[in-house]
């Protein structure tokens, strides 16, 4: 138990009891507790294995390599279609955690074993993502944007590609592209 994270578990919140129960359960599995992305994250050496986070309607354990975990009960949830490796187990109350304690612990132990074995989800490469025709047109006609885009990290490139492909209306796509060009030229990602 990392005392530097006690404030997260002591802070009054909708999920305070659930967070504490999950913390206790995870720490029984010999992981190190750290703060990452503003959440309690549990690591094995330098690898992130699982974290606790909360949302409006549920709190969850997020397994970093969850897509590899065997899930015969279909408990694990893919947050969105674009999440490649992480999977969640969601909870709405402490009773759900207590009732599924052995199953949760089994998932944690399996995640640790996968991490120790060095097994990772094979992620799609940036070249496997579709480039929206409107953005392709910009890349073809503005060499400076093309060069700047190619020099971005793969994660930043994917972020833009997903952002540009999400809207249904071309006008929205065009607006997003137009607003993003300067950030791309500046070497920044969507959230920078």
């Amino acid at each position: 138990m990392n005392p530097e994270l006690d404030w997260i578990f002591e802070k009054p919140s909708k999920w305070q009891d659930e967070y504490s129960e999950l913390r206790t359960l995870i720490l029984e599995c010999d992981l190190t507790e750290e703060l990452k992305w503003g959440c309690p994250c549990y690591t094995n050496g330098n690898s992130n294995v699982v974290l606790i986070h909360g949302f409006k309607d549920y709190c969850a354990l997020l397994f970093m390599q969850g897509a590899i975990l065997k899930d015969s009960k279909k408990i694990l949830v893919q947050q969105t279609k674009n999440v490649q490796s992480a999977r969640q187990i969601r909870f709405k109350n402490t009773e759900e955690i207590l009732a599924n304690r052995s199953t949760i612990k089994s998932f944690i132990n399996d995640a640790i074993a996968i991490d120790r074995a060095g097994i990772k989800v094979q992620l799609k490469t940036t070249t496997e993502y579709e480039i929206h025709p409107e953005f392709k047109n910009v890349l073809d006609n503005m060499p400076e944007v093309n060069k700047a885009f190619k020099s971005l990290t793969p994660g930043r490139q994917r972020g833009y590609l997903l952002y540009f492909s999400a809207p249904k209306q071309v006008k929205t796509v065009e607006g997003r592209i137009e607003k993003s060009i300067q950030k791309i030229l500046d070497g920044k990602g969507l959230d920078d």
Side-chain angles (χ1 to χ4, degrees):
M1 196 172 288
N2 182 345
E4 292 179 15
L5 272 68
D6 287 348
W7 66 272
I8 293 173
F9 298 96
E10 294 167 358
K11 179 175 74 172
S13 76
K14 181 177 183 175
W15 305 113
Q16 183 178 14
D17 294 338
E18 290 78 6
Y19 286 168
S20 293
E21 192 62 43
L22 290 169
R23 180 188 204 190
T24 300
L25 187 78
I26 294 169
L27 289 173
E28 290 172 6
C29 298
D30 197 32
L31 291 171
T32 302
E33 186 174 62
E34 300 180 33
L35 180 66
K36 295 189 178 183
W37 306 286
C39 299
C41 183
Y42 299 86
T43 61
N44 177 46
N46 291 327
S47 295
N48 302 320
V49 176
V50 62
L51 65 80
I52 300 172
H53 58 166
F55 298 88
K56 180 181 174 188
D57 297 326
Y58 63 89
C59 69
L61 286 182
L62 180 76
F63 293 90
M64 301 306 182
Q65 298 295 320
I68 299 172
L69 293 170
K70 288 186 174 51
D71 183 20
S72 59
K73 296 180 182 181
K74 305 294 182 210
I75 295 172
L76 296 173
V77 177
Q78 183 177 4
Q79 278 181 278
T80 69
K81 67 177 184 154
N82 295 318
V83 173
Q84 295 183 61
S85 61
R87 297 292 183 270
Q88 293 177 328
I89 300 178
R90 296 178 177 177
F91 307 99
K92 294 189 178 191
N93 55 55
T94 308
E95 291 74 27
E96 287 181 347
I97 297 167
L98 295 173
N100 293 292
R101 204 169 198 291
S102 62
T103 301
I104 297 164
K105 207 166 188 176
S106 178
F107 274 110
I108 296 167
N109 287 324
D110 289 350
I112 293 168
I114 285 169
D115 182 71
R116 288 185 177 150
I119 301 169
K120 301 281 184 199
V121 172
Q122 195 68 9
L123 300 176
K124 286 171 42 175
T125 64
T126 304
T127 57
E128 294 176 86
Y129 286 86
E130 188 175 322
I131 298 177
H132 193 283
E134 297 299 320
F135 187 53
K136 174 115 175 65
N137 187 39
V138 168
L139 294 176
D140 291 343
N141 293 306
M142 298 178 75
E144 68 280 6
V145 175
N146 192 343
K147 182 179 178 185
F149 183 74
K150 286 180 179 176
S151 69
L152 293 173
T153 64
R156 287 182 172 139
Q157 289 178 13
R158 284 191 299 274
Y160 281 116
L161 295 176
L162 293 171
Y163 180 63
F164 298 151
S165 67
K168 290 184 170 69
Q169 294 187 11
V170 173
K171 187 175 183 177
T172 306
V173 174
E174 290 171 343
R176 287 183 174 192
I177 291 169
E178 186 177 316
K179 290 178 183 175
S180 300
I181 287 176
Q182 190 57 53
K183 286 181 91 168
I184 292 170
L185 291 170
D186 292 341
K188 295 181 178 179
L190 277 173
D191 300 320
D192 293 339

